Amino acid sequence: MSHSANSGAKTVRVPAPVNAHSHAFHRILRGRTHEGADGGAGTFWTWREHMYRYAHALTPAGYQQLATAVFAEMVATGYSAVGEFHYLHHQYDGTPYGAEGSDTEPHAMELALGRAALAAGIRLVLLDTCYLQGGLAADGSVLPLDQTQQRFSDGTAAAWLERHGRLAIALKELDAGAGLLTLGAAIHSVRALAPADLETIASMLDLALPLHVHLSEQPAENHACQNAYGMTPTGLLEHAGLVGARLSAVHATHLSDADIAALGRGNAGIVMCPTTEADLGDGIGPARELADAGASICLGSDQHAVLDPYLEQRALEHGERLRSGQRGRFSPTEISAAAREAGLRSLGLPDNGDHIVVATDSVRTAGSRPAQLPLTATAADIAEVHINGELVAVNGIHTRLGDPAALYAAFFDTHPEFS
């Protein structure tokens, strides 16, 4: 099969964007959570009910098939690298894959993601996530793990660290010199770990690893944390010694002035996920204030309500305009940096030659100055995607896997449990 962009088209070559926050299995939710069981409009709880149902049902084989489609779609829409925030670690009852007496492969879910990334040719930073408790109630009391959350937990922070070390070896063996798979780390949220667990991770996790955390996505998280510990989620992380340049706070939507100052002072990364935050009704975070304080703004697609790096870039600026009533909150140069350089930094990746070729003569981009393409282009304008020295997608079609839509169709056809 030969592939080439349209001959004679006007194009420009630009560095390929980075997706700094992904939950691959959330792609199943697209177009399924906007209506409640009573026929009314879907709420956040409609979304959460579906998400937990799908999290419970996934197997390693099913996840590999789904993630291959997701990563192929990412590549076809222009993403060159992804930070996969992963917490589906174990079997349904919490038994580890590969446990004694089990015929399953150790790290089966993590390796399924690795194989999917290799098939799609995308750079994967697997942000292996620590998740130890069921959450915090409004009064600050700790909730136990529910049935689905059993598969998220390693029991203790020390046990998570031990499994994380073994996973590093397994992922390196799977990569086999391809240069696409690396391991990072994540704390699910301050709701999912006790303060002592945060301190254990701060003292024992390799300082060279990128560390991500969901932070202050909703006001309820802040209120519960305040009631439980007498401080904000950011304050709790800072108290544990975790706020610094290797930390990336995902969402960071509902922050106090002191939170903004702390994240900026620590030169933390901030992963905004504008299309997801809009889809879930989370709110618009203080991106400009965070950047001005010293934090590094980057972008992710999170639940993949849409996979389009240009729409995420545009939504960052549009959210700021709607929030402030002012234009030009982020310059085109700053928006492009959020999509590329800041994403690489967040994931601990070096710069590389990954790039995309963008059509500048489409109905959307004709007349646009190249530097201002983040405000006009969409994924439909991406003619070529080059990752790790390979042409991996042309005009929305993966050069080895074909049309991502067909991959999704095959997944849903073979997995009626997700219908």
Side-chain angles (χ1 to χ4, degrees):
M1 184 184 300
S2 62
H3 299 271
S4 62
N6 296 330
S7 59
K10 294 181 179 178
T11 61
V12 62
R13 170 177 164 162
V14 298
V18 171
N19 187 345
H21 187 70
S22 161
H23 299 289
F25 81 94
H26 285 193
R27 171 57 181 82
I28 306 173
L29 298 165
R30 188 186 292 177
R32 292 168 174 255
T33 64
H34 302 284
E35 185 176 58
D38 60 358
T43 66
F44 173 80
W45 301 108
T46 308
W47 179 90
R48 189 178 187 273
E49 178 184 346
H50 280 76
M51 188 269 283
Y52 270 68
R53 171 187 161 200
Y54 301 144
H56 182 77
L58 274 171
T59 64
Y63 204 8
Q64 183 172 334
Q65 185 181 14
L66 172 63
T68 299
V70 174
F71 294 154
E73 184 186 6
M74 283 188 197
V75 165
T77 58
Y79 287 114
S80 59
V82 57
E84 181 63 28
F85 198 108
H86 170 70
Y87 49 84
L88 301 183
H89 302 307
H90 305 303
Q91 299 178 62
Y92 310 119
D93 61 356
T95 302
Y97 287 102
E100 185 176 352
S102 170
D103 60 358
T104 58
E105 175 187 33
H107 312 296
M109 294 296 267
E110 290 78 16
L111 296 181
L113 289 166
R115 292 179 180 119
L118 290 172
I122 195 168
R123 297 184 192 276
L124 171 69
V125 179
L126 186 62
L127 299 166
D128 191 71
T129 303
C130 189
Y131 194 128
L132 302 176
Q133 61 190 33
L136 295 173
D139 64 1
S141 59
V142 175
L143 299 174
L145 296 164
D146 66 21
Q147 183 181 7
T148 297
Q149 291 170 327
Q150 295 292 331
R151 75 182 310 188
F152 304 167
S153 177
D154 291 292
T156 67
W160 171 75
L161 285 160
E162 289 175 6
R163 184 183 55 76
H164 188 272
R166 296 192 301 271
L167 175 58
I169 297 170
L171 201 65
K172 185 175 182 179
E173 290 175 350
L174 179 64
D175 184 63
L180 291 177
L181 308 181
T182 57
L183 185 63
I187 294 163
H188 180 271
S189 60
V190 300
R191 295 176 288 110
L193 280 79
D197 300 320
L198 298 176
E199 292 169 5
T200 296
I201 290 171
S203 64
M204 297 183 66
L205 183 68
D206 183 352
L207 290 173
L209 292 178
L211 179 66
H212 286 222
V213 59
H214 292 130
L215 186 72
S216 294
E217 183 176 3
Q218 296 187 348
E221 175 186 339
N222 292 349
H223 296 154
C225 186
Q226 192 73 45
N227 288 335
Y229 308 120
M231 60 187 78
T232 66
T234 299
L236 191 62
L237 293 174
E238 187 175 37
H239 186 264
L242 288 168
V243 175
R246 74 158 171 172
L247 183 75
S248 289
V250 181
H251 303 304
T253 306
H254 302 282
L255 302 177
S256 69
D257 289 345
D259 293 337
I260 293 170
L263 292 165
R265 188 167 56 247
N267 302 125
I270 306 294
V271 189
M272 299 288 186
C273 304
T275 63
T276 287
E277 288 146 9
D279 182 78
L280 295 180
D282 288 339
I284 301 170
R288 184 67 263 171
E289 290 87 340
L290 283 160
D292 289 343
S296 175
I297 307 299
C298 45
L299 295 167
S301 66
D302 196 353
Q303 63 154 332
H304 322 307
V306 64
L307 270 171
D308 188 323
Y310 279 125
L311 292 187
E312 300 292 351
Q313 291 172 67
R314 191 130 72 246
L316 171 66
E317 171 63 14
H318 284 178
E320 278 293 307
R321 293 182 184 188
L322 289 169
R323 186 173 71 90
S324 68
Q326 300 173 352
R327 295 184 86 233
R329 296 284 284 178
F330 286 92
S331 70
T333 298
E334 289 177 305
I335 296 170
S336 294
R340 171 68 180 178
E341 290 88 355
L344 291 172
R345 174 183 179 271
S346 172
L347 298 179
L349 293 173
D351 203 356
N352 51 59
D354 298 345
H355 64 278
I356 58 176
V357 176
V358 186
T360 57
D361 58 356
S362 77
V363 68
R364 291 164 296 277
T365 61
S368 296
R369 293 189 171 96
Q372 296 187 34
L373 286 171
L375 282 305
T376 60
T378 72
D381 299 308
I382 296 175
E384 295 181 2
V385 183
H386 297 255
I387 303 173
N388 207 28
E390 178 186 356
L391 175 64
V392 290
V394 175
N395 294 327
I397 303 299
H398 197 282
T399 55
R400 286 185 275 114
L401 299 174
D403 188 347
L407 301 178
Y408 284 126
F411 171 78
F412 285 111
D413 285 347
T414 55
H415 294 278
E417 65 269 30
F418 297 116
S419 62

